[in-house]
Amino acid sequence: MARKEDGLTSPTTQSTADEKEVLTPNNDAMNTTGTGWRKLSEGDERRGAASGEEMQIELNETVATTRDTAKKVDAGSGGASVSAAEMVEYKVYRRRWFGLVQLTLLNVIVSWDWLTFSPVASHAARYFSTDENTINWLSTAFLFAFTAITPLVIYVLHLGPKPSIVTSAALILVGNWIRYAGCHSGEKGLFGVVMFGQILTGLAQPFVLAAPARYSDLWFTNRGRVAATALTSLANPFGAALGQLIIPFWVEGPGDVSRMVLYVSVISTVCALPAFFIPARPPTPVAPSSQTPKLSLISSVKFLLRQTEFYLLFVPFAIYVGLFNSISSLLNQVLLPHGYNDEEAGIAGALLIVVGLVASAITSPLIDKYKSYLLAIRFAVPIVGLCYLVFIWMPGTRDSGGVAGPYVVMATMGAASFSLVPVVVEFLVELTHPISPEVTSTLAWSGGQVLGGIFIVVSGALKGEGGKMERALVFHAVLAMVAVPLPLCLGCFGRGEKLVLRRVRSDEAEGEKRG
């Protein structure tokens, strides 16, 4: 018998037969049920299917390495012939909830850090003796920081979710207290120091925003991954909602800015400290897909660049995340010129996010159960596009309709957008398995953050007379509507077989083998 330690059985002790069954099933299994990666046929080789060959070569190298290790283990155990499939006990652990809660808290607070100044941009501008466009750069720099550190985020997440979570917590702690030091220095503060602290918190965001798919893949089965990803991913905009709703009540004038930053720093510290004590990984795999050998980072990127379905999901996801970041940062400046006050604008932003969270809490378990990713995408995407289109006219309804117009559109936009986010993140992982989840999730979020920064800059440049932002809203609406057709093309033009849920099928296939 191969040796076990504390219930942990190494996946490297798999037999050759198990490896072939899990990684390279026959073509019929792939084409009809999608139970795993298909083995290249002679016809494929003659046609030179470049991306498929590269993935198969990479997988074969992984299998070869695993086979060599298995032989050594078998030799050391006296030649006992017990397969890893028989040895490994797939089990979920309660301790996963500690890490999940901590990842959720970090996503909440890092987003709150992002919108620390935007809800009170006019007061912050007077406090730092600058203008609102300069204050907008605090949000914009935060978003651009995400893209700058993306390669490092992918590498750290490839090591596991805990190193990524701990890195984020450390950056949040340091960044928040540097921001407070900058605000508390002198009567008007030191804006450069505040910007430096803001950039540090921006560098913290990708380490937790891109982590949910990796964490759920490691700790949850296919019955709970969408819900786990939804909770942790959507905690990020929930933090933005808290910032938009609470900060205006803390800041009644420019003199309150420094004290507000102190409050946020204290809350950030409380949320970040437990991150250093979360478990790194479960003692044994929770599902077969959790221990499936993943492609290397370079091979993963090469494959994605040739994958049409990746682009059909990545491009609209990045656009809609970018638009959400832009409208969240600028909502105060969109509504105030039409007679709304800071509190009403904050409530509109909170509705956008809170209603979205409620909608996602309802839809995510259903999608988890029925795996209806494509249906959810085709339903939600047109609604999101139409909401941005209709919102062009909503700020101007203040005199005739009060706050009802913006509130209704914000709530509808939030419900559709938030239901969409975890679906796309998990669908990307399913379509590209066994590419490691952090690759697709980090690239998708990075695209959204960089576009969000660009959209904020462009929207600020499009301000009209009296600071009104109708042209910026038209800009948002055009982009939102242009993105609508892309995900609706998924599965069309004879590409339905490309939408196989590979990770789900691999788990189901292993379950069938076990009886």
Side-chain angles (χ1 to χ4, degrees):
M1 286 288 290
R3 182 168 56 89
K4 299 182 181 179
E5 295 181 3
D6 299 327
L8 173 60
T9 304
S10 172
T12 59
T13 60
Q14 290 185 339
S15 66
T16 303
D18 284 333
E19 291 158 359
K20 290 183 177 178
E21 288 175 0
V22 173
L23 296 177
T24 58
N26 59 50
N27 291 334
D28 293 338
M30 178 63 189
N31 293 335
T32 57
T33 62
T35 53
W37 291 101
R38 69 180 179 89
K39 189 175 182 179
L40 290 175
S41 66
E42 294 179 0
D44 288 330
E45 293 171 354
R46 286 196 300 268
R47 288 189 295 269
S51 61
E53 288 175 355
E54 289 180 5
M55 292 191 70
Q56 189 66 30
I57 290 170
E58 182 74 22
L59 287 170
N60 287 340
E61 290 175 353
T62 304
V63 170
T65 302
T66 304
R67 183 186 299 120
D68 291 341
T69 306
K71 289 178 180 178
K72 294 177 182 178
V73 172
D74 287 340
S77 60
S81 57
V82 180
S83 71
E86 295 171 340
M87 294 165 54
V88 175
E89 177 186 1
Y90 298 116
K91 176 183 176 182
V92 293
Y93 295 86
R94 291 181 181 178
R95 70 191 73 175
R96 72 191 187 278
W97 298 111
F98 177 42
L100 190 72
V101 169
Q102 184 56 39
L103 183 56
T104 301
L105 287 175
L106 288 176
N107 268 303
V108 168
I109 199 60
V110 79
S111 187
W112 192 336
D113 289 341
W114 165 47
L115 291 185
T116 301
F117 301 97
S118 293
V120 289
S122 58
H123 295 315
R126 291 199 297 273
Y127 180 76
F128 292 111
S129 300
T130 185
D131 54 38
E132 291 186 2
N133 281 338
T134 302
I135 297 299
N136 288 344
W137 272 103
L138 289 170
S139 299
T140 306
F142 184 99
L143 299 176
F144 284 143
F146 191 119
T147 305
I149 205 169
T150 291
L152 179 61
V153 172
I154 294 176
Y155 173 75
V156 173
L157 272 172
H158 203 64
L159 302 177
K162 182 174 181 177
S164 184
I165 292 171
V166 169
T167 301
S168 178
L171 288 170
I172 287 173
L173 288 170
V174 175
N176 269 277
W177 289 108
I178 287 178
R179 290 196 314 173
Y180 175 64
C183 287
H184 198 61
S185 300
E187 294 183 1
K188 298 298 182 180
L190 296 175
F191 186 78
V193 175
V194 175
M195 176 64 80
F196 177 64
Q198 185 79 356
I199 291 173
L200 289 180
T201 59
L203 294 174
Q205 186 186 41
F207 288 100
V208 287
L209 187 56
R214 181 75 168 94
Y215 187 87
S216 62
D217 180 72
L218 185 65
W219 284 92
F220 288 81
T221 68
N222 60 38
R223 296 181 179 180
R225 284 175 179 144
V226 173
T229 299
L231 176 65
T232 46
S233 296
L234 298 180
N236 191 272
F238 179 66
L242 290 176
Q244 289 180 325
L245 188 62
I246 295 174
I247 286 175
F249 291 98
W250 286 348
V251 179
E252 297 180 357
D256 297 326
V257 171
S258 178
R259 184 177 58 184
M260 175 270 293
V261 175
L262 173 62
Y263 294 161
V264 175
S265 298
V266 171
I267 296 172
S268 298
T269 300
V270 173
C271 291
L273 285 177
F276 298 93
F277 305 101
I278 66 172
R281 62 181 61 250
T284 59
V286 300
S289 58
S290 299
Q291 63 175 354
T292 300
K294 303 296 193 293
L295 295 182
S296 68
L297 297 180
I298 295 177
S299 297
S300 298
V301 172
K302 287 181 179 179
F303 172 73
L304 290 178
L305 292 176
R306 301 186 181 96
Q307 185 80 351
T308 301
E309 282 65 32
F310 171 73
Y311 290 108
L312 292 178
L313 287 169
F314 167 77
V315 173
F317 182 86
I319 289 175
Y320 288 137
V321 169
L323 290 174
F324 173 85
N325 289 336
S326 180
I327 199 71
S328 297
S329 297
L330 301 174
L331 189 58
N332 181 280
Q333 297 170 52
V334 168
L335 296 178
L336 261 60
H338 293 274
Y340 301 86
N341 57 40
D342 285 334
E343 288 75 17
E344 289 170 336
I347 292 172
L351 279 173
L352 169 69
I353 295 168
V354 172
V355 173
L357 291 172
V358 173
S360 182
I362 296 172
T363 58
S364 294
L366 295 175
I367 296 169
D368 241 345
K369 181 178 181 180
Y370 297 106
K371 309 303 176 191
S372 51
Y373 299 101
L374 189 58
L375 176 62
I377 290 171
R378 288 176 172 171
F379 179 77
V381 165
I383 296 176
V384 175
L386 289 173
C387 284
Y388 280 101
L389 179 62
V390 173
F391 192 66
I392 294 174
W393 297 279
M394 290 302 103
T397 63
R398 179 73 167 101
D399 295 333
S400 59
V403 297
Y407 283 6
V408 170
V409 175
M410 286 288 100
T412 306
M413 184 189 299
S417 299
F418 282 43
S419 300
L420 192 62
V421 166
V423 173
V424 174
V425 172
E426 285 297 311
F427 200 29
L428 280 169
V429 176
E430 291 289 347
L431 296 183
T432 58
H433 181 76
I435 287 177
S436 196
E438 71 272 4
V439 177
T440 53
S441 62
T442 305
L443 290 175
W445 283 114
S446 179
Q449 302 305 307
V450 69
L451 288 182
I454 293 172
F455 295 164
I456 292 172
V457 174
V458 172
S459 298
L462 292 175
K463 278 187 178 180
E465 185 178 352
K468 293 184 178 181
M469 304 191 72
E470 280 82 1
R471 289 184 295 181
L473 296 181
V474 171
F475 170 68
H476 288 180
V478 170
L479 289 172
M481 295 305 295
V482 167
V484 168
L486 297 178
L488 301 184
C489 292
L490 286 166
C492 298
F493 312 110
R495 298 184 64 86
E497 74 279 358
K498 301 294 184 180
L499 303 183
V500 172
L501 305 182
R502 303 178 187 275
R503 186 173 59 175
V504 171
R505 296 295 181 259
S506 68
D507 287 343
E508 291 176 349
E510 180 65 22
E512 291 173 359
K513 285 199 307 179
R514 287 176 171 241

